[in-house]
Amino acid sequence: LEAVTTRLGERGIPLFSNQIQYSLLYPFANANGLKAKCDELGVKVLAYSPIGLGLLSGKYSRDKLPEGPRAELAKAFFGEQP
């Protein structure tokens, strides 16, 4: 991120934002330092999937799982059914 910011800055183009997957389910940008680096450089974070691929929306439950690849994530999030 720092290298991109520098390269763009050399051309007079400020890096304004960075879109990352970021939510209560995916807070990894905090752990790996990406969010802190964005803050340090003045780059705004645009949260991709802020409601955790719909899992935090209330739309899904243990009895009503989403279809496709999100189904496996939902099983892990809601826990396996007894």
Side-chain angles (χ1 to χ4, degrees):
L1 184 64
E2 197 164 355
V4 169
T5 303
T6 300
R7 294 287 301 256
L8 288 171
E10 290 169 354
R11 296 176 180 204
I13 304 168
L15 180 60
F16 184 77
S17 64
N18 188 14
Q19 186 173 18
I20 58 174
Q21 189 168 8
Y22 189 59
S23 70
L24 292 173
L25 292 182
Y26 300 96
F28 306 113
N30 293 330
N32 67 16
L34 180 58
K35 174 70 169 75
K37 183 54 80 172
C38 285
D39 292 344
E40 176 187 320
L41 296 172
V43 176
K44 304 295 182 199
V45 170
L46 299 176
Y48 168 77
S49 192
I51 55 172
L53 300 172
L55 298 177
L56 300 174
S57 68
K59 181 178 180 179
Y60 303 113
S61 67
R62 286 181 138 191
D63 300 322
K64 184 182 175 191
L65 298 174
E67 296 180 4
R70 292 182 299 156
E72 292 303 314
L73 293 171
K75 288 177 188 175
F77 177 68
F78 293 115
E80 291 293 326
Q81 296 187 10

